Each structure stands twice: as C-alpha cells, then as structure tokens.
Amino acid sequence: MRNDQADDVDNRLFLKSVARALHVLEAFGRHPHPLSLREIAEAAGIDKSAAQRVAQTLLTLGYLERAGNDAGLLPGKALLDRSFDYLRTNPLIERAAPVLSQLRATARERVDLSLFDGTTIIYAMRLQSKRETFYATLAGRRIPTFSSSGGRACLARLDEAEARDIVERCDRQAQTQKTITDVDAVMDKVREARADGYACALEESLIGEIVLSAAVTDLAGRPLGAIHIAGSLAEWDEDDFRRRFAPHAIAAAKAL
Amino acid sequence: MRNDQADDVDNRLFLKSVARALHVLEAFGRHPHPLSLREIAEAAGIDKSAAQRVAQTLLTLGYLERAGNDAGLLPGKALLDRSFDYLRTNPLIERAAPVLSQLRATARERVDLSLFDGTTIIYAMRLQSKRETFYATLAGRRIPTFSSSGGRACLARLDEAEARDIVERCDRQAQTQKTITDVDAVMDKVREARADGYACALEESLIGEIVLSAAVTDLAGRPLGAIHIAGSLAEWDEDDFRRRFAPHAIAAAKAL
DNA sequence: AACGATCGTATCGCTAGTCGATACCATAGA
DNA sequence: TCTATGGTATCGACTAGCGATACGATCGTT
C-alpha cells in the first residue's frame, strides 16, 4: 500500500503515534461498518491496548462515534468539519464554485469537479442533475485515473513517460465490460485527449453513462483536476454529446 | 471551546500527541488560508518543533499539502476520503439518500439533510436547486442550532429543559436582522415546531430565504438530524410555502 | 553587499508520555 | 454455571517525542 516506508523509517520527524491514529480512521475505508476495538486493532495493525487509547482519544474529540446499538465505533462528524476546511481553503474550489454552477445551468447535465491525485482522482464538488442516487454523488469518492475521462484529461497534460508510469501503477480492474484496461490502449486515449483538448469515456465506469472532461492546470501547466460533464446514453449519442458539451467544458476549465 | 478538559486530564487513556495533531488540522477551521509552521504552532498552542513534526507527518500521510507558491500548508485530500467514509458508514445517510433525491424531484427546491450535534447542526447532504453558489452548498458546513429551522426541529424532539439548555449554550449571534436571539423567543418557536411537527425559519440565516424542516429521530425518539426544504421569498410567500412543502418534509422525515 | 527577519529543515540528550501485558467487569449464549 | 467476547482500567518499563538550538535559503531593506 505504501512504498515510502523507507522514507518514513529514516525520517526522524515522523510521529508514529499520529500515524497510528490516522490508520485507525482509515480502517473504516476498508471496512465500512461499525468496528469493535479488536477489529480496529486488527485493521490498523496495532494491539488492543493501543486501539483502546486511540479510540478513546478520537471519541472525545469527535472523530469517532459510538454506533447506535452500542455495536461498535464509526467515524465521527468532526471529519465533515475537516473536509469542509479542505474545500474552503482550496483556492481551486473557490474559483471553481461559480464556474461549475453556471456550467450546470447551461448544460443541464451532471457536472463535477475532480482533483488529480496520482493513480486516482477524487470528486470534490458534485452538482447532480435529476435522478442520481447514492454514493455515486458524494464528494470524497475516488475513482481510478486510467479509466475515467477526468483522469485521462489530466494525464494528457503530463509528458508521455510520466503519464504512462501512472497508468501502469494503477490498479487496472475493469469496472464495466467497456473499461479499457490495456496500457497502450489507454495511452492512445490519452493522446487523443491531448489532441482534442478534452477526454471522453463511454460506459467505462457505469453502463449507459458518457462522461467528458477538460483538465484544469496550474500556471506551470501541471494538471490539478478536471471538470466533468456526465450524461446518459439514453438521451444522447456520442457525437452529439461531444459536439454539444466539449466546448463548454473546455471553456469552463480554461476559466480556472 | 472545550469544557471537557477536566475529563481529558484525568483520563489516562487520552493520547496527547494525537490530540495535538488534530488540533493542527483544526487550526485551518479558524484560519482558512495557507499557514506557515509558526502560524500552525501558534494556532494549535504548541511550539515550532512540535508543529514541524506534526506537519511532516500529516504531509506524508496526505492530510496536509503544500500550498501552490510554497506559501505554507493547507489541508490535504485525505480529509475528503475520511469524510466520505463518514457518510458511507452512517446508516442514516444511506437511508436518506434515495428519500432526499426523490424529495428534491417533487419539491424542485433545495433539499438538505443536516445532523444534530448539540449547539450546532452540520450539513451532510445537499441537493441544490438552480443557482446557489459557494460554500453555502458544501457538505460539512455548520450553522447554529438555535437559529436554523433544522436545529429547532431537533430541539422540538427534546424535553423542555434539555432544549433550553442547548439554546442557552449556543453562541447566539444574529446572522441577519431577522435572527431571533432571545432565549424565550427561540423556545416559543421550538414549542410551535413541536406542535406543528415541523419548524420554519424566515430569513434568519440568509435574507430572502425561507427554510422548513422536519426532524429525523432514532427509535427512542431522540433527534438525529433534520430534512430541510429551502426556497426563495422572491418566489413564495410564507403561508404558501408552508402549506405546499410541510407535508412533504414531514413524510420524508418519517420515512427514515 | 551586507544586513536582519523569517522561512523550512536538521540534530540531539533528557524525560514524560506511551506501550503492552494483564486484570476486571459486564453481557450473552450454550 | 461456564466460556467467549465485549469495553474498561492499571501500572512499571522503556522508548518515542519534546523542545532548545543551530543551519542554510530566500527575501526585502538600508
């Protein structure tokens, strides 16, 4: 999971106790249900005593809560405060908010802002369209870089070698039958995105869904994230969708 | 800010190092902009060395990031992962997701789910309507219990003494000219909400906005949160809004 | 250029904070 | 009643982290 262990070990400034506590919180990412002390200890690779101390601490600070039927522990509301801080302090989000909601108003389809983070991208803002249920529409969700249009839009802003390296390091599992998992085939798509100025993915994450993305970069041209427009193939065919929305996505991304 | 210090001190299980690290992250809630090491140290009440160690640790774990122009540190994307875990593991959110989006579809106004947390409530899910910009629409935002319709809907499910205690402990600053800050006046509103089965707030948080809320409770009848429907006074007058949406809000809350 | 202020980074000996084994007290099911 | 499993509490030993200090870079100022 972590290949910078080497750095950690020789880094005299690294606080193991802090890392332990965060590993406890991260355990709920892998086990999304109430956990007992013993389960926490196992998931975080610590003994029961350590888990007890960490849990008590996080509990009093609001980063953990007791599950309803005293059936264990769950993440706490304080985590929402911290992610709010993240969004509020991120200058990209600040600038993107009005642009996104205007884009949403003109496109009348689902609009997202995702952030580039190596082998995955993470949704930061989501403006849903009509139906749309469930976790798919929650901020904080991560999806693989290689198979998402937003991810490929970002890769297109990197040089060939760096992009290829990331694609190779991705966990390239097929999400649907249409997911492109071959490295060379993905790189073809990346080059296509580089040429077009936007990326497009057809049913690679979800059957029936077409997503089109334009990358947002910093002043140096490095990708920070991407703006997505997502539609349903029941209402659009690919060419129409591209023609209609690609200019909007590119313009919105350029505005940032 | 924290009156359980007494408990903390005599609790032998409380890990100070973990608390220190979290205080560092919380510093960005009070100072929403890039912070230098020295500023972090000040905000978290620790010395520069400690801040350095904590910052290095959080940096390598992704809970802090360097600001673009190496102008300091900012919260990191890992925080979004954790809030996603919170939302995903919270059974109320799971049940509420489909109900909310259906409510959004029928009401065609902004719909929110907030969670009751003592003197504040915190937005967990937000389905915006048309325009709506900025942070107002982000999950994780906290607003005072006493002046929000959602908060008062929750208070209405507590007994008189407990509700009054919370109102008194709130930081009762007026958000707008219309904010009701007097304890007795707030309690009148709470009693009204108890009688009606829903609460209503007129321009108490934002001028021109009317919000109507119904509380969601656990099996024991204790309030967990509230469902909000928010509209614009430019489009509705109070009576129409109440008549039209109160039944929907109550029904949606009851469905949970 | 030389200066002082302020930034991030690195070092190191001492001690207080944490570790981890262990015991305790519930509740629940056999 | 017994055993398994949950959360809670205790305590001596030892190590992880404290905090003072120092260093090199980068500024804007004089």
Side-chain angles (χ1 to χ4, degrees), chain A residues 179-197:
Chain A
T179 307
I180 299 172
T181 59
D182 178 67
V183 174
D184 290 314
V186 171
M187 288 304 296
D188 284 345
K189 282 291 203 178
V190 170
R191 275 184 289 268
E192 183 190 317
R194 192 176 296 133
D196 294 343

Side-chain angles (χ1 to χ4, degrees), chain A residues 13-15 17 26 29 53 57 60 63 75-77 81-83 85-86 88-89 94 127-128 135 142, chain B residues 13-15 17 26 29 53 57 60 63 75-77 81-83 85-86 88-89 94 127-128 135 142:
Chain A
L13 299 175
F14 191 82
L15 301 184
S17 53
E26 288 162 9
R53 281 188 292 269
T57 306
T60 67
Y63 291 87
K77 292 191 241 306
D81 291 312
R82 299 291 77 77
S83 80
D85 294 340
Y86 173 80
R88 191 164 57 137
T89 55
E94 183 162 21
L127 307 188
Q128 66 288 109
Y135 308 124
R142 281 186 190 267
Chain B
L13 299 176
F14 192 82
L15 301 184
S17 53
E26 288 162 8
R53 283 188 290 270
T57 306
T60 67
Y63 290 87
K77 291 191 242 308
D81 292 311
R82 300 290 76 77
S83 81
D85 294 340
Y86 173 80
R88 193 164 56 137
T89 55
E94 182 161 23
L127 307 188
Q128 66 288 108
Y135 307 124
R142 279 186 192 268

Side-chain angles (χ1 to χ4, degrees), chain A residues 159-166 187:
Chain A
D159 59 54
E160 196 73 6
E162 199 174 356
R164 189 179 194 91
D165 177 58
I166 289 174
M187 288 304 296

Side-chain angles (χ1 to χ4, degrees), chain B residues 27-244:
Chain B
F28 292 93
R30 275 162 279 142
H31 308 280
H33 46 80
L35 296 179
S36 71
L37 276 185
R38 188 184 53 76
E39 291 172 312
I40 289 175
E42 269 176 34
I46 57 182
D47 69 20
K48 193 185 157 193
S49 287
Q52 178 192 14
R53 283 188 290 270
V54 172
Q56 282 293 342
T57 306
L58 295 176
L59 210 42
T60 67
L61 295 176
Y63 290 87
L64 285 180
E65 292 175 10
R66 294 188 191 283
N69 349 309
D70 60 55
L73 296 167
L74 285 176
K77 291 191 242 308
L79 294 169
L80 292 181
D81 292 311
R82 300 290 76 77
S83 81
F84 183 66
D85 294 340
Y86 173 80
L87 294 171
R88 193 164 56 137
T89 55
N90 188 318
L92 179 58
I93 307 285
E94 182 161 23
R95 278 178 286 136
V99 173
L100 275 194
S101 64
Q102 179 156 3
L103 181 60
R104 165 71 184 79
T106 60
R108 321 203 100 254
E109 294 290 338
R110 197 187 82 214
V111 166
D112 303 315
L113 176 70
S114 66
L115 301 174
F116 178 57
D117 194 24
T119 58
T120 58
I121 65 174
I122 181 167
Y123 286 114
M125 301 190 72
R126 318 204 62 173
L127 307 188
Q128 66 288 108
S129 57
K130 298 133 205 172
R131 321 155 281 278
E132 310 281 2
T133 42
F134 257 75
Y135 307 124
T137 68
L138 292 180
R141 183 177 164 82
R142 279 186 192 268
I143 58 176
T145 299
F146 82 97
S147 66
S148 63
S149 71
R152 297 205 288 244
C154 289
L155 292 175
R157 299 308 183 101
L158 300 176
D159 60 53
E160 196 74 6
E162 199 174 355
R164 191 183 193 89
D165 176 57
I166 289 176
V167 173
E168 282 169 349
R169 292 205 332 269
C170 279
D171 175 28
R172 290 192 308 287
Q173 290 197 325
Q175 307 296 309
T176 73
Q177 301 93 301
K178 296 283 192 77
T179 308
I180 299 171
T181 59
D182 178 67
V183 174
D184 290 315
V186 171
M187 288 306 294
D188 284 345
K189 281 291 202 178
V190 169
R191 273 184 290 270
E192 182 190 319
R194 191 176 296 132
D196 294 343
Y198 71 94
C200 192
L202 257 131
E203 304 191 303
E204 290 199 46
S205 303
L206 201 65
I207 291 295
E209 188 187 58
I210 177 169
V211 188
L212 176 157
S213 307
V216 179
T217 67
D218 63 13
L219 298 172
R222 285 193 69 82
L224 295 174
I227 287 180
H228 308 225
I229 302 179
S232 163
L233 285 175
E235 299 173 21
W236 299 93
D237 83 19
E238 180 180 352
D239 286 341
D240 287 348
F241 193 81
R242 291 174 96 116
R243 253 194 295 277
R244 174 120 170 64

Side-chain angles (χ1 to χ4, degrees), chain A residues 97 161 214 250:
Chain A
I250 293 173

